[in-house]
Amino acid sequence: MSHFMKDKTTLTIGIGAGVLIGASGFVIYYKLKRKLDKELSIVTDTVCNLKLEIHELKERLGEIENARTRPKRRVTGYYSVHASSGEEEDVYEEPTGGEEYEQSELFSAETSTLVNGIPAPDVDLYSTVDKMLEGSDKEKEDAFNLLQEKKNSHFSHSADYWWRLAKASFFFGQIEGARKGEERKKELVYEARQHAQAALILDENSAHAHQWYAITLGTVAEYEGMQAKINSGYDFKEHIERAIQLSPTDPSPHHLLGRWCYSVYMLTWIERKVASTLFATPPTATIDEALGHFIQAEELNPGVWKENMLYIAKSYIEKKDYDSAVMWLEKGSGLSTISQDDKEAQKEIDGLLPKYRR
């Protein structure tokens, strides 16, 4: 064997060993990283929970203190047993039941009128915010600002407040991203994830909290690279499936589960390879599963959701059923363009229609 061939053999063996060691190191590193990320997430949840409990305790103590220092009731026409003149005098006395009565009155007033377990004044705010979040970009921005104003009030005790703030922050992030660039959008998306996490801590059985935690989790992963994207995939699916279990007639989780199936189906070769090194059973999904979820979302909210129609069309394109794809693209194009999601969906529809229309 020539000297060159010996060197070449040595080089080949060295490269092979390096690849094997590198691959093993890659797997070990990411498995350790994933374990550490989970532990850090538990710590973050605990700290967030403690902050919420401390904040609630401070507010309750303040309410009790206010009740104790409330002016006593003025009572007229009362004859004091200590009066020497026998004339009627004005004195002050505790109301019936004394201080204990005032405190019970304070707390009963908070819960005297409930609508689906929520105090009536809160329902009014939430109803207003919900309408605004379904409206124009300006209305979404106003909803975000309105919720931000309530951040240090009693609303912060409620999961219903936090998932709405997560939703508003996410939408406002899209709006700001279009105005000011990706950094501002990224900042708001990370805030949205924290808000959704707070909602989950307060109420594990909130379908909206699971839904918005999944949405923000998936969006944050887009900023953290392919590895984070794959790692978050299972968590995303778990929270969306829980949202469907808790609220099966809500079309949004069905659409999101369709998006998960579609994304998994569309994974690149290298993404599948990375997934196979990290999980004993990498995520799998078919285009028919994705299409089924999109169709279910359409049936629950028919004829109004441009983005869902786009994904129905994209699923048919993957199935090479171009006539059906064009039909759904045209349906989506015929809808009004209101939100940032609508604008992005319409832009994609405009690019696909000329390509597949006969």
Side-chain angles (χ1 to χ4, degrees), residues 27 32 36 68 117 137 180 199 203-205 258 260-261 315 342 345 350:
V27 173
L32 287 172
L36 181 60
R68 285 177 176 170
D137 286 352
K180 300 179 181 178
D203 187 0
E204 295 185 328
N205 293 318
W260 184 88
C261 292
S315 299
D342 291 339
D350 291 341

Side-chain angles (χ1 to χ4, degrees), residues 163-181:
W163 71 253
R164 283 178 171 86
L165 183 56
K167 182 178 181 178
S169 300
F170 178 84
F171 284 158
F172 188 46
Q174 291 182 310
I175 296 165
E176 287 287 86
R179 288 179 187 164
K180 300 179 181 178

Side-chain angles (χ1 to χ4, degrees), residues 105-115 118-121:
E105 184 180 46
L106 171 70
F107 294 120
S108 66
E110 291 182 349
T111 57
S112 59
T113 307
L114 298 176
V115 180
I118 303 172

Side-chain angles (χ1 to χ4, degrees), residues 247-268:
S247 184
T249 59
D250 184 347
S252 295
H254 292 284
H255 170 81
L256 291 167
L257 190 53
R259 292 281 288 269
W260 184 88
C261 292
Y262 184 86
S263 296
V264 169
Y265 174 79
M266 297 295 287
L267 284 175
T268 64

